PDB file of all heavy atoms in Angstrom:
ATOM      1  N   VAL A   1      63.138 151.261  66.767  1.00 94.00           N
ATOM      2  CA  VAL A   1      64.293 151.724  66.015  1.00 94.00           C
ATOM      3  C   VAL A   1      63.792 152.670  64.955  1.00 94.00           C
ATOM      4  O   VAL A   1      62.812 152.376  64.197  1.00 94.00           O
ATOM      5  CB  VAL A   1      65.001 150.521  65.361  1.00 94.00           C
ATOM      6  CG1 VAL A   1      66.135 151.009  64.458  1.00 94.00           C
ATOM      7  CG2 VAL A   1      65.609 149.593  66.420  1.00 94.00           C
ATOM      8  N   LYS A   2      64.479 153.791  64.825  1.00 94.00           N
ATOM      9  CA  LYS A   2      64.091 154.790  63.798  1.00 94.00           C
ATOM     10  C   LYS A   2      65.266 155.080  62.951  1.00 94.00           C
ATOM     11  O   LYS A   2      66.409 155.219  63.407  1.00 94.00           O
ATOM     12  CB  LYS A   2      63.566 156.118  64.482  1.00 94.00           C
ATOM     13  CG  LYS A   2      62.225 156.001  65.069  1.00 94.00           C
ATOM     14  CD  LYS A   2      61.704 157.328  65.586  1.00 94.00           C
ATOM     15  CE  LYS A   2      60.312 157.226  66.182  1.00 94.00           C
ATOM     16  NZ  LYS A   2      59.766 158.597  66.575  1.00 94.00           N
ATOM     17  N   LEU A   3      65.026 155.145  61.655  1.00 93.00           N
ATOM     18  CA  LEU A   3      66.078 155.595  60.713  1.00 93.00           C
ATOM     19  C   LEU A   3      65.447 156.721  59.843  1.00 93.00           C
ATOM     20  O   LEU A   3      64.443 156.576  59.259  1.00 93.00           O
ATOM     21  CB  LEU A   3      66.324 154.394  59.751  1.00 93.00           C
ATOM     22  CG  LEU A   3      67.430 154.599  58.730  1.00 93.00           C
ATOM     23  CD1 LEU A   3      68.809 154.894  59.391  1.00 93.00           C
ATOM     24  CD2 LEU A   3      67.556 153.354  57.812  1.00 93.00           C
ATOM     25  N   ASN A   4      66.177 157.893  59.922  1.00 92.00           N
ATOM     26  CA  ASN A   4      65.670 159.084  59.224  1.00 92.00           C
ATOM     27  C   ASN A   4      64.259 159.469  59.759  1.00 92.00           C
ATOM     28  O   ASN A   4      63.329 159.869  58.976  1.00 92.00           O
ATOM     29  CB  ASN A   4      65.627 158.905  57.727  1.00 92.00           C
ATOM     30  CG  ASN A   4      67.012 158.741  57.177  1.00 92.00           C
ATOM     31  OD1 ASN A   4      67.999 159.446  57.602  1.00 92.00           O
ATOM     32  ND2 ASN A   4      67.195 157.786  56.224  1.00 92.00           N
ATOM     33  N   ASP A   5      64.030 159.207  61.064  1.00 91.00           N
ATOM     34  CA  ASP A   5      62.739 159.518  61.737  1.00 91.00           C
ATOM     35  C   ASP A   5      61.598 158.584  61.362  1.00 91.00           C
ATOM     36  O   ASP A   5      60.475 158.798  61.748  1.00 91.00           O
ATOM     37  CB  ASP A   5      62.329 160.988  61.491  1.00 91.00           C
ATOM     38  CG  ASP A   5      63.229 161.988  62.161  1.00 91.00           C
ATOM     39  OD1 ASP A   5      63.700 161.696  63.250  1.00 91.00           O
ATOM     40  OD2 ASP A   5      63.417 163.034  61.571  1.00 91.00           O
ATOM     41  N   ASP A   6      61.895 157.618  60.556  1.00 93.00           N
ATOM     42  CA  ASP A   6      60.909 156.586  60.230  1.00 93.00           C
ATOM     43  C   ASP A   6      61.117 155.326  61.041  1.00 93.00           C
ATOM     44  O   ASP A   6      62.237 154.863  61.194  1.00 93.00           O
ATOM     45  CB  ASP A   6      60.948 156.213  58.721  1.00 93.00           C
ATOM     46  CG  ASP A   6      60.631 157.352  57.813  1.00 93.00           C
ATOM     47  OD1 ASP A   6      59.716 158.175  58.193  1.00 93.00           O
ATOM     48  OD2 ASP A   6      61.201 157.445  56.695  1.00 93.00           O
ATOM     49  N   ILE A   7      60.011 154.778  61.570  1.00 92.00           N
ATOM     50  CA  ILE A   7      60.166 153.516  62.419  1.00 92.00           C
ATOM     51  C   ILE A   7      60.549 152.361  61.558  1.00 92.00           C
ATOM     52  O   ILE A   7      59.994 152.139  60.463  1.00 92.00           O
ATOM     53  CB  ILE A   7      58.871 153.233  63.160  1.00 92.00           C
ATOM     54  CG1 ILE A   7      58.608 154.320  64.233  1.00 92.00           C
ATOM     55  CG2 ILE A   7      58.852 151.864  63.791  1.00 92.00           C
ATOM     56  CD1 ILE A   7      57.315 154.134  65.026  1.00 92.00           C
ATOM     57  N   VAL A   8      61.556 151.595  61.983  1.00 92.00           N
ATOM     58  CA  VAL A   8      62.008 150.442  61.277  1.00 92.00           C
ATOM     59  C   VAL A   8      61.300 149.204  61.880  1.00 92.00           C
ATOM     60  O   VAL A   8      61.400 148.975  63.070  1.00 92.00           O
ATOM     61  CB  VAL A   8      63.580 150.224  61.432  1.00 92.00           C
ATOM     62  CG1 VAL A   8      63.983 148.946  60.658  1.00 92.00           C
ATOM     63  CG2 VAL A   8      64.292 151.475  60.896  1.00 92.00           C
ATOM     64  N   PRO A   9      60.521 148.442  61.119  1.00 88.00           N
ATOM     65  CA  PRO A   9      59.811 147.282  61.653  1.00 88.00           C
ATOM     66  C   PRO A   9      60.698 146.106  61.925  1.00 88.00           C
ATOM     67  O   PRO A   9      61.046 145.384  60.992  1.00 88.00           O
ATOM     68  CB  PRO A   9      58.765 147.012  60.553  1.00 88.00           C
ATOM     69  CG  PRO A   9      59.408 147.454  59.268  1.00 88.00           C
ATOM     70  CD  PRO A   9      60.294 148.626  59.664  1.00 88.00           C
ATOM     71  N   LEU A  10      61.113 145.937  63.179  1.00 87.00           N
ATOM     72  CA  LEU A  10      61.958 144.780  63.509  1.00 87.00           C
ATOM     73  C   LEU A  10      61.171 143.767  64.363  1.00 87.00           C
ATOM     74  O   LEU A  10      60.228 144.162  65.153  1.00 87.00           O
ATOM     75  CB  LEU A  10      63.115 145.256  64.341  1.00 87.00           C
ATOM     76  CG  LEU A  10      64.193 146.146  63.687  1.00 87.00           C
ATOM     77  CD1 LEU A  10      65.249 146.567  64.649  1.00 87.00           C
ATOM     78  CD2 LEU A  10      64.801 145.517  62.442  1.00 87.00           C
ATOM     79  N   THR A  11      61.502 142.529  64.239  1.00 82.00           N
ATOM     80  CA  THR A  11      60.893 141.488  65.089  1.00 82.00           C
ATOM     81  C   THR A  11      61.563 141.651  66.524  1.00 82.00           C
ATOM     82  O   THR A  11      62.582 142.331  66.659  1.00 82.00           O
ATOM     83  CB  THR A  11      61.153 140.044  64.613  1.00 82.00           C
ATOM     84  OG1 THR A  11      62.512 139.729  64.712  1.00 82.00           O
ATOM     85  CG2 THR A  11      60.676 139.913  63.124  1.00 82.00           C
ATOM     86  N   ALA A  12      61.009 140.944  67.499  1.00 80.00           N
ATOM     87  CA  ALA A  12      61.580 141.105  68.845  1.00 80.00           C
ATOM     88  C   ALA A  12      63.052 140.630  68.905  1.00 80.00           C
ATOM     89  O   ALA A  12      63.871 141.299  69.561  1.00 80.00           O
ATOM     90  CB  ALA A  12      60.660 140.222  69.833  1.00 80.00           C
ATOM     91  N   LEU A  13      63.309 139.508  68.219  1.00 84.00           N
ATOM     92  CA  LEU A  13      64.689 139.036  68.258  1.00 84.00           C
ATOM     93  C   LEU A  13      65.611 139.880  67.422  1.00 84.00           C
ATOM     94  O   LEU A  13      66.758 140.075  67.835  1.00 84.00           O
ATOM     95  CB  LEU A  13      64.752 137.571  67.758  1.00 84.00           C
ATOM     96  CG  LEU A  13      66.072 136.818  67.900  1.00 84.00           C
ATOM     97  CD1 LEU A  13      66.579 136.963  69.364  1.00 84.00           C
ATOM     98  CD2 LEU A  13      65.916 135.374  67.550  1.00 84.00           C
ATOM     99  N   GLU A  14      65.181 140.454  66.327  1.00 89.00           N
ATOM    100  CA  GLU A  14      65.998 141.334  65.544  1.00 89.00           C
ATOM    101  C   GLU A  14      66.316 142.568  66.385  1.00 89.00           C
ATOM    102  O   GLU A  14      67.481 143.018  66.291  1.00 89.00           O
ATOM    103  CB  GLU A  14      65.267 141.765  64.292  1.00 89.00           C
ATOM    104  CG  GLU A  14      65.148 140.645  63.168  1.00 89.00           C
ATOM    105  CD  GLU A  14      64.145 140.969  62.091  1.00 89.00           C
ATOM    106  OE1 GLU A  14      63.579 142.021  62.105  1.00 89.00           O
ATOM    107  OE2 GLU A  14      64.019 140.065  61.223  1.00 89.00           O
ATOM    108  N   PHE A  15      65.338 143.133  67.147  1.00 90.00           N
ATOM    109  CA  PHE A  15      65.636 144.295  67.962  1.00 90.00           C
ATOM    110  C   PHE A  15      66.682 143.936  68.970  1.00 90.00           C
ATOM    111  O   PHE A  15      67.646 144.641  69.235  1.00 90.00           O
ATOM    112  CB  PHE A  15      64.398 144.777  68.677  1.00 90.00           C
ATOM    113  CG  PHE A  15      64.661 145.951  69.570  1.00 90.00           C
ATOM    114  CD1 PHE A  15      64.574 147.253  69.110  1.00 90.00           C
ATOM    115  CD2 PHE A  15      65.005 145.795  70.908  1.00 90.00           C
ATOM    116  CE1 PHE A  15      64.902 148.323  69.872  1.00 90.00           C
ATOM    117  CE2 PHE A  15      65.260 146.865  71.791  1.00 90.00           C
ATOM    118  CZ  PHE A  15      65.215 148.119  71.207  1.00 90.00           C
ATOM    119  N   ASP A  16      66.508 142.801  69.683  1.00 89.00           N
ATOM    120  CA  ASP A  16      67.477 142.440  70.733  1.00 89.00           C
ATOM    121  C   ASP A  16      68.856 142.282  70.222  1.00 89.00           C
ATOM    122  O   ASP A  16      69.862 142.656  70.794  1.00 89.00           O
ATOM    123  CB  ASP A  16      67.021 141.067  71.356  1.00 89.00           C
ATOM    124  CG  ASP A  16      65.778 141.221  72.221  1.00 89.00           C
ATOM    125  OD1 ASP A  16      65.486 142.362  72.605  1.00 89.00           O
ATOM    126  OD2 ASP A  16      65.176 140.205  72.548  1.00 89.00           O
ATOM    127  N   LEU A  17      68.981 141.647  69.020  1.00 93.00           N
ATOM    128  CA  LEU A  17      70.357 141.467  68.380  1.00 93.00           C
ATOM    129  C   LEU A  17      70.944 142.793  67.975  1.00 93.00           C
ATOM    130  O   LEU A  17      72.117 143.040  68.267  1.00 93.00           O
ATOM    131  CB  LEU A  17      70.182 140.547  67.150  1.00 93.00           C
ATOM    132  CG  LEU A  17      71.436 140.120  66.460  1.00 93.00           C
ATOM    133  CD1 LEU A  17      72.503 139.542  67.382  1.00 93.00           C
ATOM    134  CD2 LEU A  17      71.092 139.147  65.306  1.00 93.00           C
ATOM    135  N   LEU A  18      70.140 143.642  67.321  1.00 95.00           N
ATOM    136  CA  LEU A  18      70.715 144.948  66.945  1.00 95.00           C
ATOM    137  C   LEU A  18      71.074 145.786  68.168  1.00 95.00           C
ATOM    138  O   LEU A  18      72.185 146.448  68.184  1.00 95.00           O
ATOM    139  CB  LEU A  18      69.658 145.727  66.085  1.00 95.00           C
ATOM    140  CG  LEU A  18      70.027 147.218  65.761  1.00 95.00           C
ATOM    141  CD1 LEU A  18      71.294 147.195  64.925  1.00 95.00           C
ATOM    142  CD2 LEU A  18      68.900 147.824  64.964  1.00 95.00           C
ATOM    143  N   HIS A  19      70.220 145.850  69.189  1.00 94.00           N
ATOM    144  CA  HIS A  19      70.523 146.586  70.332  1.00 94.00           C
ATOM    145  C   HIS A  19      71.777 146.065  71.067  1.00 94.00           C
ATOM    146  O   HIS A  19      72.629 146.869  71.486  1.00 94.00           O
ATOM    147  CB  HIS A  19      69.306 146.562  71.352  1.00 94.00           C
ATOM    148  CG  HIS A  19      69.524 147.376  72.575  1.00 94.00           C
ATOM    149  ND1 HIS A  19      69.837 146.809  73.791  1.00 94.00           N
ATOM    150  CD2 HIS A  19      69.554 148.738  72.771  1.00 94.00           C
ATOM    151  CE1 HIS A  19      70.003 147.776  74.720  1.00 94.00           C
ATOM    152  NE2 HIS A  19      69.791 148.943  74.116  1.00 94.00           N
ATOM    153  N   PHE A  20      71.916 144.768  71.182  1.00 93.00           N
ATOM    154  CA  PHE A  20      73.118 144.198  71.741  1.00 93.00           C
ATOM    155  C   PHE A  20      74.401 144.685  71.001  1.00 93.00           C
ATOM    156  O   PHE A  20      75.382 145.075  71.552  1.00 93.00           O
ATOM    157  CB  PHE A  20      73.014 142.702  71.860  1.00 93.00           C
ATOM    158  CG  PHE A  20      74.231 142.078  72.521  1.00 93.00           C
ATOM    159  CD1 PHE A  20      74.403 142.112  73.888  1.00 93.00           C
ATOM    160  CD2 PHE A  20      75.220 141.503  71.745  1.00 93.00           C
ATOM    161  CE1 PHE A  20      75.539 141.558  74.529  1.00 93.00           C
ATOM    162  CE2 PHE A  20      76.341 140.951  72.316  1.00 93.00           C
ATOM    163  CZ  PHE A  20      76.507 140.996  73.710  1.00 93.00           C
ATOM    164  N   LEU A  21      74.394 144.485  69.688  1.00 95.00           N
ATOM    165  CA  LEU A  21      75.594 144.828  68.855  1.00 95.00           C
ATOM    166  C   LEU A  21      75.902 146.310  68.977  1.00 95.00           C
ATOM    167  O   LEU A  21      76.989 146.659  69.166  1.00 95.00           O
ATOM    168  CB  LEU A  21      75.351 144.434  67.445  1.00 95.00           C
ATOM    169  CG  LEU A  21      75.424 142.926  67.069  1.00 95.00           C
ATOM    170  CD1 LEU A  21      74.874 142.721  65.669  1.00 95.00           C
ATOM    171  CD2 LEU A  21      76.817 142.440  67.213  1.00 95.00           C
ATOM    172  N   ALA A  22      74.817 147.131  68.950  1.00 94.00           N
ATOM    173  CA  ALA A  22      74.994 148.577  68.945  1.00 94.00           C
ATOM    174  C   ALA A  22      75.464 149.040  70.358  1.00 94.00           C
ATOM    175  O   ALA A  22      76.026 150.155  70.491  1.00 94.00           O
ATOM    176  CB  ALA A  22      73.708 149.257  68.585  1.00 94.00           C
ATOM    177  N   SER A  23      75.232 148.280  71.401  1.00 92.00           N
ATOM    178  CA  SER A  23      75.599 148.638  72.752  1.00 92.00           C
ATOM    179  C   SER A  23      77.083 148.388  72.954  1.00 92.00           C
ATOM    180  O   SER A  23      77.653 148.873  73.932  1.00 92.00           O
ATOM    181  CB  SER A  23      74.823 147.804  73.831  1.00 92.00           C
ATOM    182  OG  SER A  23      73.436 148.038  73.726  1.00 92.00           O
ATOM    183  N   HIS A  24      77.755 147.720  71.975  1.00 92.00           N
ATOM    184  CA  HIS A  24      79.139 147.389  72.072  1.00 92.00           C
ATOM    185  C   HIS A  24      79.833 147.785  70.726  1.00 92.00           C
ATOM    186  O   HIS A  24      80.372 146.906  70.044  1.00 92.00           O
ATOM    187  CB  HIS A  24      79.432 146.006  72.409  1.00 92.00           C
ATOM    188  CG  HIS A  24      78.715 145.519  73.632  1.00 92.00           C
ATOM    189  ND1 HIS A  24      77.435 145.048  73.629  1.00 92.00           N
ATOM    190  CD2 HIS A  24      79.136 145.476  74.966  1.00 92.00           C
ATOM    191  CE1 HIS A  24      77.044 144.752  74.925  1.00 92.00           C
ATOM    192  NE2 HIS A  24      78.074 144.982  75.680  1.00 92.00           N
ATOM    193  N   PRO A  25      79.769 149.005  70.280  1.00 92.00           N
ATOM    194  CA  PRO A  25      80.311 149.371  68.997  1.00 92.00           C
ATOM    195  C   PRO A  25      81.761 149.051  68.861  1.00 92.00           C
ATOM    196  O   PRO A  25      82.567 149.312  69.769  1.00 92.00           O
ATOM    197  CB  PRO A  25      80.047 150.899  68.845  1.00 92.00           C
ATOM    198  CG  PRO A  25      79.808 151.363  70.289  1.00 92.00           C
ATOM    199  CD  PRO A  25      79.254 150.231  71.047  1.00 92.00           C
ATOM    200  N   GLY A  26      82.104 148.502  67.684  1.00 92.00           N
ATOM    201  CA  GLY A  26      83.495 148.195  67.430  1.00 92.00           C
ATOM    202  C   GLY A  26      83.986 146.847  67.948  1.00 92.00           C
ATOM    203  O   GLY A  26      85.024 146.341  67.482  1.00 92.00           O
ATOM    204  N   ARG A  27      83.234 146.213  68.810  1.00 94.00           N
ATOM    205  CA  ARG A  27      83.602 144.968  69.292  1.00 94.00           C
ATOM    206  C   ARG A  27      83.174 143.848  68.379  1.00 94.00           C
ATOM    207  O   ARG A  27      82.031 143.847  67.948  1.00 94.00           O
ATOM    208  CB  ARG A  27      83.078 144.691  70.726  1.00 94.00           C
ATOM    209  CG  ARG A  27      83.365 143.251  71.209  1.00 94.00           C
ATOM    210  CD  ARG A  27      83.154 143.078  72.698  1.00 94.00           C
ATOM    211  NE  ARG A  27      83.339 141.669  72.968  1.00 94.00           N
ATOM    212  CZ  ARG A  27      83.247 141.124  74.228  1.00 94.00           C
ATOM    213  NH1 ARG A  27      82.920 141.918  75.259  1.00 94.00           N
ATOM    214  NH2 ARG A  27      83.431 139.821  74.437  1.00 94.00           N
ATOM    215  N   VAL A  28      84.023 142.842  68.165  1.00 96.00           N
ATOM    216  CA  VAL A  28      83.725 141.715  67.281  1.00 96.00           C
ATOM    217  C   VAL A  28      83.159 140.565  68.144  1.00 96.00           C
ATOM    218  O   VAL A  28      83.738 140.238  69.190  1.00 96.00           O
ATOM    219  CB  VAL A  28      84.914 141.243  66.514  1.00 96.00           C
ATOM    220  CG1 VAL A  28      84.643 140.067  65.615  1.00 96.00           C
ATOM    221  CG2 VAL A  28      85.578 142.358  65.713  1.00 96.00           C
ATOM    222  N   TRP A  29      81.958 140.029  67.675  1.00 95.00           N
ATOM    223  CA  TRP A  29      81.375 138.932  68.415  1.00 95.00           C
ATOM    224  C   TRP A  29      81.299 137.693  67.466  1.00 95.00           C
ATOM    225  O   TRP A  29      80.869 137.775  66.313  1.00 95.00           O
ATOM    226  CB  TRP A  29      79.951 139.336  68.749  1.00 95.00           C
ATOM    227  CG  TRP A  29      79.889 140.432  69.753  1.00 95.00           C
ATOM    228  CD1 TRP A  29      79.802 141.755  69.458  1.00 95.00           C
ATOM    229  CD2 TRP A  29      79.910 140.410  71.196  1.00 95.00           C
ATOM    230  NE1 TRP A  29      79.764 142.497  70.573  1.00 95.00           N
ATOM    231  CE2 TRP A  29      79.872 141.713  71.665  1.00 95.00           C
ATOM    232  CE3 TRP A  29      79.964 139.323  72.055  1.00 95.00           C
ATOM    233  CZ2 TRP A  29      79.863 141.970  73.010  1.00 95.00           C
ATOM    234  CZ3 TRP A  29      79.968 139.604  73.399  1.00 95.00           C
ATOM    235  CH2 TRP A  29      79.911 140.940  73.871  1.00 95.00           C
ATOM    236  N   ARG A  30      81.657 136.558  68.038  1.00 93.00           N
ATOM    237  CA  ARG A  30      81.507 135.319  67.318  1.00 93.00           C
ATOM    238  C   ARG A  30      79.985 134.887  67.322  1.00 93.00           C
ATOM    239  O   ARG A  30      79.251 135.362  68.240  1.00 93.00           O
ATOM    240  CB  ARG A  30      82.291 134.209  67.987  1.00 93.00           C
ATOM    241  CG  ARG A  30      83.822 134.457  67.929  1.00 93.00           C
ATOM    242  CD  ARG A  30      84.608 133.288  68.554  1.00 93.00           C
ATOM    243  NE  ARG A  30      86.025 133.566  68.564  1.00 93.00           N
ATOM    244  CZ  ARG A  30      86.805 133.328  67.539  1.00 93.00           C
ATOM    245  NH1 ARG A  30      86.341 132.811  66.420  1.00 93.00           N
ATOM    246  NH2 ARG A  30      88.105 133.629  67.626  1.00 93.00           N
ATOM    247  N   ARG A  31      79.554 134.116  66.385  1.00 91.00           N
ATOM    248  CA  ARG A  31      78.220 133.625  66.360  1.00 91.00           C
ATOM    249  C   ARG A  31      77.781 132.996  67.657  1.00 91.00           C
ATOM    250  O   ARG A  31      76.694 133.245  68.162  1.00 91.00           O
ATOM    251  CB  ARG A  31      77.928 132.685  65.174  1.00 91.00           C
ATOM    252  CG  ARG A  31      78.064 133.414  63.821  1.00 91.00           C
ATOM    253  CD  ARG A  31      78.048 132.384  62.697  1.00 91.00           C
ATOM    254  NE  ARG A  31      78.155 133.052  61.387  1.00 91.00           N
ATOM    255  CZ  ARG A  31      79.305 133.431  60.879  1.00 91.00           C
ATOM    256  NH1 ARG A  31      80.421 133.357  61.557  1.00 91.00           N
ATOM    257  NH2 ARG A  31      79.274 134.054  59.651  1.00 91.00           N
ATOM    258  N   ALA A  32      78.597 132.152  68.181  1.00 88.00           N
ATOM    259  CA  ALA A  32      78.288 131.399  69.397  1.00 88.00           C
ATOM    260  C   ALA A  32      78.097 132.418  70.579  1.00 88.00           C
ATOM    261  O   ALA A  32      77.241 132.186  71.433  1.00 88.00           O
ATOM    262  CB  ALA A  32      79.411 130.385  69.784  1.00 88.00           C
ATOM    263  N   GLU A  33      78.925 133.437  70.614  1.00 90.00           N
ATOM    264  CA  GLU A  33      78.839 134.412  71.642  1.00 90.00           C
ATOM    265  C   GLU A  33      77.466 135.189  71.531  1.00 90.00           C
ATOM    266  O   GLU A  33      76.863 135.483  72.557  1.00 90.00           O
ATOM    267  CB  GLU A  33      79.960 135.439  71.618  1.00 90.00           C
ATOM    268  CG  GLU A  33      81.315 134.826  71.998  1.00 90.00           C
ATOM    269  CD  GLU A  33      82.501 135.754  71.794  1.00 90.00           C
ATOM    270  OE1 GLU A  33      82.511 136.534  70.755  1.00 90.00           O
ATOM    271  OE2 GLU A  33      83.345 135.762  72.653  1.00 90.00           O
ATOM    272  N   LEU A  34      77.135 135.571  70.335  1.00 91.00           N
ATOM    273  CA  LEU A  34      75.856 136.245  70.105  1.00 91.00           C
ATOM    274  C   LEU A  34      74.685 135.372  70.566  1.00 91.00           C
ATOM    275  O   LEU A  34      73.694 135.883  71.137  1.00 91.00           O
ATOM    276  CB  LEU A  34      75.677 136.701  68.677  1.00 91.00           C
ATOM    277  CG  LEU A  34      76.671 137.837  68.223  1.00 91.00           C
ATOM    278  CD1 LEU A  34      76.600 138.013  66.703  1.00 91.00           C
ATOM    279  CD2 LEU A  34      76.363 139.097  68.936  1.00 91.00           C
ATOM    280  N   ILE A  35      74.712 134.126  70.207  1.00 87.00           N
ATOM    281  CA  ILE A  35      73.610 133.164  70.549  1.00 87.00           C
ATOM    282  C   ILE A  35      73.525 133.151  72.125  1.00 87.00           C
ATOM    283  O   ILE A  35      72.404 133.176  72.659  1.00 87.00           O
ATOM    284  CB  ILE A  35      73.886 131.787  69.957  1.00 87.00           C
ATOM    285  CG1 ILE A  35      73.576 131.849  68.450  1.00 87.00           C
ATOM    286  CG2 ILE A  35      73.059 130.748  70.685  1.00 87.00           C
ATOM    287  CD1 ILE A  35      73.959 130.587  67.695  1.00 87.00           C
ATOM    288  N   GLN A  36      74.665 133.070  72.803  1.00 83.00           N
ATOM    289  CA  GLN A  36      74.619 132.932  74.180  1.00 83.00           C
ATOM    290  C   GLN A  36      74.125 134.261  74.861  1.00 83.00           C
ATOM    291  O   GLN A  36      73.401 134.265  75.803  1.00 83.00           O
ATOM    292  CB  GLN A  36      76.061 132.685  74.741  1.00 83.00           C
ATOM    293  CG  GLN A  36      76.119 132.364  76.271  1.00 83.00           C
ATOM    294  CD  GLN A  36      77.468 131.820  76.702  1.00 83.00           C
ATOM    295  OE1 GLN A  36      78.361 131.831  75.942  1.00 83.00           O
ATOM    296  NE2 GLN A  36      77.506 131.419  77.949  1.00 83.00           N
ATOM    297  N   GLU A  37      74.508 135.399  74.318  1.00 86.00           N
ATOM    298  CA  GLU A  37      74.195 136.730  74.893  1.00 86.00           C
ATOM    299  C   GLU A  37      72.769 137.172  74.496  1.00 86.00           C
ATOM    300  O   GLU A  37      72.036 137.615  75.325  1.00 86.00           O
ATOM    301  CB  GLU A  37      75.172 137.755  74.398  1.00 86.00           C
ATOM    302  CG  GLU A  37      76.599 137.596  74.871  1.00 86.00           C
ATOM    303  CD  GLU A  37      76.783 137.860  76.371  1.00 86.00           C
ATOM    304  OE1 GLU A  37      75.829 138.499  76.918  1.00 86.00           O
ATOM    305  OE2 GLU A  37      77.800 137.521  76.959  1.00 86.00           O
TER     306      GLU A  37
END
């Protein structure tokens, strides 16, 4: 993940969570749904 061309240090799970949310912009996810996905 890069922000202003600088690499953002994310853990493996943080990356997976951010990528999943960003892959569905605008959609609201419950906590239980995020855990399952």
Side-chain angles (χ1 to χ4, degrees):
V1 173
K2 288 186 177 182
L3 183 62
N4 297 318
D5 292 325
D6 295 325
I7 291 180
V8 179
L10 296 178
T11 68
L13 189 51
E14 287 168 3
F15 178 88
D16 289 343
L17 182 55
L18 174 60
H19 181 257
F20 180 78
L21 286 168
S23 296
H24 306 85
R27 174 165 175 180
V28 180
W29 297 91
R30 297 181 182 277
R31 290 171 181 80
E33 291 176 321
L34 290 172
I35 286 172
Q36 188 171 7
E37 294 288 345

